[in-house]
């Protein structure tokens, strides 16, 4: 079982997809893995994009002493790519495209 931070997810506030993946990573990864959930971070934006800072989040950071680091962004629902616009998008449970 992987070492998880936190050991349990809060009872509300996150997606069902994140809850499912949290359980799968915890229960199926070997002991030498460490998983950190929900890491907030800030990225500076280029002046050409208006400058300032943009807040973001890493959903899961999976660490292994020999295999390295894996950063996971979790999306529930569908995921698509519009090749003409070079744009990724998600489709929520209500069919709305984001």
């Amino acid at each position: 079982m992987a070492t998880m931070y936190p050991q349990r997810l809060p009872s509300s506030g996150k997606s069902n997809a994140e809850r499912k993946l949290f359980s799968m990573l915890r229960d199926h990864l070997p002991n030498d893995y460490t998983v950190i959930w929900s890491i907030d971070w800030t990225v500076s934006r280029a002046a050409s994009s208006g400058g300032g800072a943009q807040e973001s989040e890493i959903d899961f950071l999976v660490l292994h002493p020999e295999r390295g680091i894996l950063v996971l962004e979790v999306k529930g629902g569908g995921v698509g790519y519009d090749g003409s616009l070079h744009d990724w998008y998600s489709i929520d449970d209500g069919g709305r495209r984001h």
Side-chain angles (χ1 to χ4, degrees), residues 84-95:
S84 64
L85 298 174
H86 302 290
D87 191 32
W88 288 94
Y89 59 89
S90 63
I91 302 171
D92 64 22
D93 293 340

Side-chain angles (χ1 to χ4, degrees), residues 1 20 24 27 30 40 45 57 68 73-75 80 88 93:
M1 181 184 298
K20 287 179 182 179
M24 290 177 67
D27 297 342
D40 292 330
R45 290 170 32 196
E57 176 198 24
E73 171 66 23
V74 178
K75 297 294 183 196
W88 288 94
D93 293 340

Side-chain angles (χ1 to χ4, degrees), residues 17-74:
E18 286 186 35
R19 292 183 184 292
K20 287 179 182 179
L21 184 57
F22 184 94
S23 296
M24 290 177 67
L25 293 170
R26 180 194 61 215
D27 297 342
H28 296 286
L29 286 177
N31 293 342
D32 50 351
Y33 281 86
T34 299
V35 178
I36 304 170
W37 171 76
S38 188
I39 300 171
D40 292 330
W41 61 299
T42 304
V43 178
S44 61
R45 290 170 32 196
S48 61
S49 298
Q54 178 178 348
E55 294 181 9
S56 193
E57 176 198 24
I58 295 171
D59 291 331
F60 290 92
L61 186 63
V62 181
L63 308 164
H64 187 275
E66 295 174 9
R67 295 183 174 164
I69 298 170
L70 177 64
V71 178
L72 296 173
E73 171 66 23
V74 178

